[in-house]
Amino acid sequence: MTKALPTVRPGDHAIAVLPAGPAARNGTDIVPEVELRALDQLWFQVSGTVCNLRCQHCFISCSPENHSFWFMSRDQVAASLAESVRLGVKEYYFTGGEPFMNRDMLGILEDTLQIGPATVLTNATLLPQRVVDRLAELSRASRYTLELRVSIDGVTADMNDAIRGPGSFERAVAAVGRLAAAGFLPIITTMQSWPDHETDPMLQDFHQVLADVGYDRPRLKVLPPLRIGSEASRDRPYDEAEAVTVDMMAEYPSDLLLCSSARLVTSTGVWACPILLDYSSGRLADTLDEAVAVPARLAEQACYTCWVNGAICSNMPGFAMEQT
Amino acid sequence: MRSYRRIALFGGVYSNHLALSAAIEDALGRDVDGMMCLGDLGAFGPHPDRVFPLLREHDIEVVKGNYDDSIARGLDDCQCGYTDPRDNHFARISYRYTFDNTSPENRVWMSNLPYEIRFRLGDLDVLACHGSPRQTNEFLWESTTPTHFLDKLATDYSADVVVGTHTGLRWNRSWGEQRTFVNVGALGRPANDGSPAVWYAILQAEARDMDVEFVSVAYDHLALAKEMRDEELPEEFVETILTGWWTTCLEILPGKERAAGRF
Ligand code: SF4
Ligand code: SF4
């Protein structure tokens, strides 16, 4: 077992000195590639790009009308779950769009929790008591953990709703209260839309808002913006220099990147990760079996955000360890 | 390769020399023919150097943990991978204290520890590691570790039984043709269950039939708390020792395990 990796951690590169941007690829079109180390995380684009909200920062521009990717059926997911057993997958993630717009979602979770842990990335606006009760039942019935990851993008309705749409704050916060009362400890994710020095007070305010609905030991995760899709116009797109080059990967422990340990199954093929859904460079193959053998191509500028921050999509960041 | 009939397996010690000493005593009274420690000797508790003589005196084989690796090599942190600012704050205090109070001799000794130890138990091949066979700092929690994933590890690393500690919470699972994974728990801090007792495991096998027994150890945790306060370690750590509830390093817990605790 020999693995020589520098112990670089997410954050180490926060202010990276960039040698160059995509231009430095010398017009030769050399794109850094990352091999799959092991298929630890299997992601499902379970509601395609369909969402009941139309957030200003959505990096894949989901909305009620965005039907580029369609819902996955319980059978489709079950087929990949069966394959995942053979591949030794460790964790299952469900994203969209809004997963709970998929009518099969509870059934899909029931199937998944029989074989492993499940995480759902949700906007929590479609979680009435009936659904929360059922989720709690599914969680109790499984030896594996069921994680609900709830996106809230501000500590007030004004701040959140400016990004996520009118009424979304109140509905999401109320659902968090119901989840907490049902015994869940939802992971609250929030995209950092403020300067760094405001993070501490912001987190304190989050604690207060969540405590007010009865969630008094929140798990909070601040995410960096992905400057693609809608977010490119809400704030700004990537600078030209913000891209990953072959040189930048030379000393970099690629274990930190989601694409070194994950694949995303959609209704129409398998992608390297959930971030590059809108890019043809992100599509690796028709089937999971084929996609595990194809390296991810860090061809898009969004890859730069991963390079700086590590596996932002996972519940826990990817981390490497030098071991000789 | 050494062979055992009945072996005591100790998890992370985290400088809790009083618990280690009590566990050794306890195991010796339970007819074991070997004792092994799965790493993370320092962290959290007082006087890290008091752990080493106990291990040597009793001929306890030790697997290298991520903490041992960090301290031995003088890395910047413990390689637990926290991102939460509060967890990081406490992890740093603990790491700095342990580093400053571990002798150069003991650091060299730790640097020579192996990342895995293989042994026979009855007719079973056992692989002892710290986190997982593939990565010393990988967390294998009961609620996030599918059986098919364990099976892949056992196959990839040619073992019937895999034992580890890293998470510090004990659990075990057997499947298929007598394959088993055991997280032996930790001696360093209680099991986030409201009791100050700590845990270790005894494995026994005849031919290919194996028994896993978790043993709870009551030790003088009040004396440890006093030592920690005398060393000015954070009161949050002392609280865990006194109450049995984890107060720090909570970020890494999956929802199910975290919900079972108080914080
Ligand atoms: S960010 Fe999430 S909730 Fe908002 S539109 Fe995109 S998928 Fe829907
Ligand atoms: S966006 Fe991130 S996870 Fe996806 S291919 Fe690029 S670096 Fe890998």
Side-chain angles (χ1 to χ4, degrees), chain A residues 51-55 57-59 62-63 96-98 123 151 164:
Chain A
C51 191
N52 58 322
L53 303 185
R54 52 178 93 246
C55 303
H57 68 338
C58 187
F59 62 88
C62 295
S63 73
E98 169 48 47
N123 62 34
S151 316
R164 306 188 67 84

Side-chain angles (χ1 to χ4, degrees), chain B residues 139-154:
Chain B
F139 293 102
L140 298 182
W141 306 96
E142 183 169 19
S143 84
T144 53
T145 309
T147 305
H148 58 252
F149 173 78
L150 289 174
D151 196 53
K152 182 171 185 291
L153 286 181

Side-chain angles (χ1 to χ4, degrees), chain A residues 1 3 7 9 37-38 40 84-85 87-92 115-117 139-140 142-145 147 183 185 200 203 217-220 255 316-317 319-324, chain B residues 66 69 73 75 77 79-81 83 85 115-116 133-140 142-149 152 157 173 251-256 258-259 261-263:
Chain A
M1 188 172 24
K3 211 150 45 96
T7 43
R9 245 165 240 302
R37 178 188 46 149
D40 285 349
S84 79
V85 169
L87 292 163
V89 168
K90 199 176 169 190
E91 297 177 277
Y92 302 91
I115 61 166
S139 172
R140 273 195 299 275
S142 175
R143 64 151 61 116
Y144 300 113
T145 196
E147 307 285 2
L185 299 171
D200 282 349
L203 290 180
R217 43 174 173 154
R219 302 153 85 197
L220 282 165
D255 287 16
M316 277 296 287
F319 49 94
M321 181 169 163
E322 184 175 340
Q323 197 160 307
T324 45
Chain B
N66 52 290
D69 181 58
R73 292 195 291 145
L75 300 184
D77 72 13
Q79 306 182 84
C80 283
T83 59
Y115 285 109
E116 65 169 48
R134 64 178 189 173
Q135 195 171 326
T136 292
N137 62 352
E138 177 169 19
F139 293 102
L140 298 182
E142 183 169 19
S143 84
T144 53
T145 309
T147 305
H148 58 252
F149 173 78
K152 182 171 185 291
Y157 289 85
R173 196 182 299 159
E251 176 194 15
I252 50 168
L253 284 166
K256 236 189 210 327
R258 182 137 176 201
R262 175 176 289 175
F263 298 106

Side-chain angles (χ1 to χ4, degrees), chain A residues 32 34 226 228 238 244 249 252 254 256-263 271-277 279 281-282 284 295-307 310-313:
Chain A
V34 169
L226 289 161
I228 52 177
Y238 286 99
V244 183
M249 289 305 291
Y252 188 90
S254 55
L256 295 180
L257 302 174
L258 186 71
C259 48
S260 72
S261 59
R263 289 295 179 258
W271 264 250
C273 72
I275 298 172
L276 298 189
L277 191 67
Y279 297 91
S281 60
L284 300 184
R297 304 180 71 233
L298 311 196
E300 309 304 332
Q301 289 188 280
C303 299
Y304 177 75
T305 298
C306 298
W307 188 84
I312 51 177
C313 306

